[in-house]
Amino acid sequence: MLMKMFILFLLFFFTGLYKFSMKNNHLLVMLVSLEFMSLIIFFMLMFNLWMFSEKYILMYYLTFCVCEGAFGLSLLVCLVRSVGNDYYQNMSFLKC
């Protein structure tokens, strides 16, 4: 049972990694796939660390994930305000 869950989590993680590594046009899709991968890692940590009563590490990891998500959304908002959309084909970083 535990091995099947681990294989399922790995399958979910690699689908998120595949979606992240594909040539995407939108920054929002890449941010969502990063959050999906961090959620899968959280579930893997939760199932592995629950037996050892090391639950405080999960709170550190969740805090890190929330900070990462807030930083990504703030970058997305700055990008949309300056450029007008979240396509990164239209951006030129040399204009800054």
Side-chain angles (χ1 to χ4, degrees):
M1 174 70 183
L2 203 60
M3 190 65 171
K4 288 181 183 179
M5 291 283 272
F6 184 71
I7 291 172
L8 186 66
F9 285 148
L10 280 179
L11 179 69
F12 284 157
F13 180 78
F14 283 121
T15 55
L17 189 66
Y18 175 71
K19 185 62 180 169
F20 179 74
S21 64
M22 284 178 48
K23 185 175 166 63
N24 294 323
N25 293 333
H26 296 280
L27 184 64
L28 184 62
V29 173
M30 293 182 74
L31 289 174
V32 168
S33 65
L34 277 176
E35 287 297 320
F36 179 72
M37 287 189 298
S38 64
L39 182 68
I40 294 301
I41 291 173
F42 171 72
F43 282 134
M44 288 173 73
L45 281 173
M46 187 177 69
F47 281 119
N48 288 332
L49 295 177
W50 199 260
M51 294 178 276
F52 302 116
S53 70
E54 300 286 332
K55 296 173 187 73
Y56 65 92
I57 296 174
L58 295 175
M59 293 304 292
Y60 289 135
Y61 183 75
L62 277 179
T63 304
F64 175 74
C65 288
V66 166
C67 292
E68 175 221 351
F71 182 68
L73 285 177
S74 67
L75 285 177
L76 181 69
V77 167
C78 289
L79 180 72
V80 168
R81 285 185 180 175
S82 66
V83 176
N85 55 20
D86 67 336
Y87 295 123
Y88 51 85
Q89 292 176 349
N90 298 339
M91 290 186 297
S92 175
F93 291 110
L94 298 174
K95 291 181 182 178
C96 299

